[in-house]
């Protein structure tokens, strides 16, 4: 019993970024989404990509990615 508490305690101390599953590739987000903006919003929400990485992939400046992500937070996905 006590060893399971230790394991749970150890897991709780691992940062969320390290516990998060690996994201899909950006190509997969682009294929799965119905629009470019939706793909960007989903990829950013996965936590696996920075605005700069998304901008490089989609050919946009990272500030434009920020606007798309902000707008996407108000859309129901």
């Amino acid at each position: 019993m006590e060893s399971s508490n230790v394991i749970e305690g150890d897991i709780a101390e691992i940062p969320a970024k390290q516990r998060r599953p690996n994201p899909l590739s950006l190509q997969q987000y682009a294929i799965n989404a119905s629009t470019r903006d939706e793909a960007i919003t989903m990829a950013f929400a996965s936590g696996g990509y920075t605005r700069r990485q998304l901008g490089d992939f989609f050919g946009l400046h990272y500030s434009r990615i920020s606007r798309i992500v902000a707008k996407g937070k108000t859309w129901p996905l």
Side-chain angles (χ1 to χ4, degrees):
M1 288 287 193
E2 201 169 287
S3 63
S4 67
N5 289 337
V6 172
I7 292 172
E8 288 176 16
D10 291 342
I11 291 173
E13 293 181 18
I14 298 171
K17 186 173 184 176
Q18 293 177 3
R19 285 185 276 145
R20 188 174 289 140
N22 290 332
L24 299 174
S25 70
L26 290 175
Q27 186 65 36
Q28 283 298 315
Y29 285 112
I31 291 168
N32 294 342
S34 57
T35 66
R36 178 198 68 192
D37 290 1
E38 183 183 354
I40 290 169
T41 302
M42 290 188 318
F44 186 76
S46 76
Y49 298 101
T50 64
R51 288 172 180 86
R52 184 163 307 275
Q53 289 172 317
L54 292 168
D56 289 346
F57 181 82
F58 288 101
L60 301 169
H61 193 268
Y62 67 88
S63 64
R64 181 72 183 129
I65 298 296
S66 292
R67 284 185 230 122
I68 291 169
V69 169
K71 186 172 71 171
K73 289 181 181 177
T74 62
W75 290 349
L77 291 178

